[in-house]
């Protein structure tokens, strides 16, 4: 299994009473698939899983799994512990997005051993979420290749905050049957130009078609891809001007796509001026990019 294309890490919308707005989540899931998403991600960081109850997490996964089953697309679910992984239903879930252990900084050998342990018990393949500016643990290209060799590890969501030497080395000679999916929206275009298979992109909640077109264009028309990237980058920059997914939710609410812009603590809603700046960036997109 090699995942490719744009996979949308869905936000979790809340209604005016603070409950998960499942009807709105269903509409959003259908909308992003209609606009060209290759798959969906439930309970990623963008979905605020840490602030959901266990019952709410189950309801979100069940709903999104139903959409994916109906539409014939893969579902990835955020699950980073043995307990969360063994609870996944492989008839519903294609892959699990598992974060490099945060805070403890176990070293690269510890990270590889950790994922070998998780992969051995997981009922679905793992995508390693490599995000060192949150976890505190850098992974060299050697460690990434060691992870790619672990049975049951299918790829990496690569979000290192830019294009570093290890990223260059990884994509210069990518491991076979190992998906490299960009996770930093602002630099997804150079990653794709270097050979990344796709991305897991929060910005694609807002303008899915533009990012789906970007992936396709890097395979077929690099000049068009550069133009698309230049148009999309200011929007991604604006959507991440406050903690994710606060601005994304503010924009989706302003567009009438979710009932409220509410987030749960420890997040606070994005400031109105931050949302207005993102909406202005969206308005500046050329029509084909905006979808």
């Amino acid at each position: 299994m090699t995942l490719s294309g744009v996979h949308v890490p869905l936000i979790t919308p809340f209604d005016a009473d603070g409950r998960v707005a499942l009807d709105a989540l269903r509409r959003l899931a259908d909308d992003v698939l209609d606009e060209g998403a290759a798959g969906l991600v439930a309970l990623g960081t963008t979905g605020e899983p840490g602030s959901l109850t266990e019952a709410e997490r189950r309801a979100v996964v069940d709903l999104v799994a139903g959409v994916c089953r109906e539409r014939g697309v893969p579902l990835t679910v955020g699950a980073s512990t043995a307990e969360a992984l063994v609870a996944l239903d492989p008839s519903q879930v294609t892959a699990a997005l598992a974060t490099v252990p945060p805070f403890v900084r176990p070293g690269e050998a510890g990270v590889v051993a950790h994922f070998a342990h998780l992969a051995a018990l997981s009922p679905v393949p793992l995508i390693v979420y490599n995000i060192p500016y949150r976890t505190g643990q850098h992974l060299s290209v050697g460690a990434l290749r060691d992870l790619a060799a672990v049975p049951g590890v299918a790829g990496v969501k690569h979000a290192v905050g830019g294009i570093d030497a290890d990223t260059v080395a990884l994509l210069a000679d990518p491991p076979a049957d190992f998906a490299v999916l960009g996770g930093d929206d602002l630099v997804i275009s150079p990653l794709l130009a270097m050979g990344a298979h796709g991305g897991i992109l929060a910005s694609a909640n807002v303008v899915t078609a533009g990012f789906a077109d970007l992936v396709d264009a890097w395979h077929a028309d690099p000049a068009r891809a550069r133009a698309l990237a230049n148009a999309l980058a200011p929007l991604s920059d604006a959507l991440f001007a406050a903690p994710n997914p606060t601005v994304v939710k503010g924009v989706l609410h302003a567009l009438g796509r979710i009932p409220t812009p509410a987030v749960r603590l420890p997040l606070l809603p994005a400031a109105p001026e931050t949302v207005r700046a993102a909406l202005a960036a969206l308005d500046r997109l050329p029509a084909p990019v905006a979808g």
Side-chain angles (χ1 to χ4, degrees):
M1 178 194 74
T2 301
L3 296 174
S4 61
V6 172
H7 295 254
V8 180
L10 294 168
I11 60 101
T12 302
F14 301 120
D15 65 21
D17 295 319
R19 296 172 298 200
V20 175
L22 291 173
D23 288 346
L25 179 60
R26 169 73 201 227
R27 289 193 298 273
L28 184 63
D30 278 326
D31 286 348
V32 301
L33 291 173
D34 287 344
E35 292 181 19
L40 302 178
V41 180
L43 305 184
T45 306
T46 304
E48 301 174 73
S51 68
L52 303 179
T53 67
E54 179 59 32
E56 288 172 331
R57 289 192 290 268
R58 285 197 302 269
V60 166
V61 171
D62 287 346
L63 184 144
V64 180
V67 174
C68 289
R69 184 169 55 250
E70 291 171 12
R71 304 292 294 268
V73 299
L75 169 63
T76 300
V77 173
S80 297
T81 66
E83 181 182 21
L85 286 166
V86 298
L88 297 177
D89 180 352
S91 70
Q92 291 186 317
V93 179
T94 306
L97 181 62
T99 305
V100 169
F103 189 74
V104 294
R105 298 173 68 182
E108 293 185 337
V111 170
V112 174
H114 171 75
F115 278 101
H117 171 70
L118 292 184
L121 57 83
S122 175
V124 298
L126 303 184
I127 299 170
V128 175
Y129 191 0
N130 179 30
I131 184 165
Y133 53 83
R134 292 197 181 193
T135 66
Q137 176 66 63
H138 174 76
L139 296 179
S140 68
V141 65
L144 291 167
R145 294 192 188 285
D146 288 344
L147 285 167
V150 172
V153 172
V156 61
K157 178 181 178 182
H158 196 61
V160 300
I163 308 295
D164 62 7
D166 291 301
T167 303
V168 174
L170 178 69
L171 290 172
D173 184 20
D177 301 319
F178 184 73
V180 179
L181 302 171
D184 289 314
D185 298 25
L186 192 59
V187 295
I188 185 58
S189 185
L191 279 175
L192 292 168
M194 295 165 65
H197 297 83
I200 298 176
L201 306 171
S203 301
N205 278 278
V206 175
V207 60
T208 315
F211 287 98
D213 287 348
L214 181 66
V215 174
D216 292 341
W218 271 119
H219 292 289
D221 188 349
R224 181 168 176 269
R226 286 191 290 272
L228 285 169
N230 290 336
L232 289 166
L235 175 63
S236 289
D237 195 30
L239 290 171
F240 280 84
N244 185 48
T246 62
V247 187
V248 171
K249 281 189 158 186
V251 168
L252 291 174
H253 173 61
L255 297 174
R257 297 177 65 185
I258 59 175
T260 75
V263 292
R264 289 182 178 172
L265 291 170
L267 295 174
L268 296 173
E273 60 269 21
T274 306
V275 176
R276 287 196 293 270
L279 287 166
L282 180 62
D283 286 341
R284 288 193 293 270
L285 289 179
V289 181

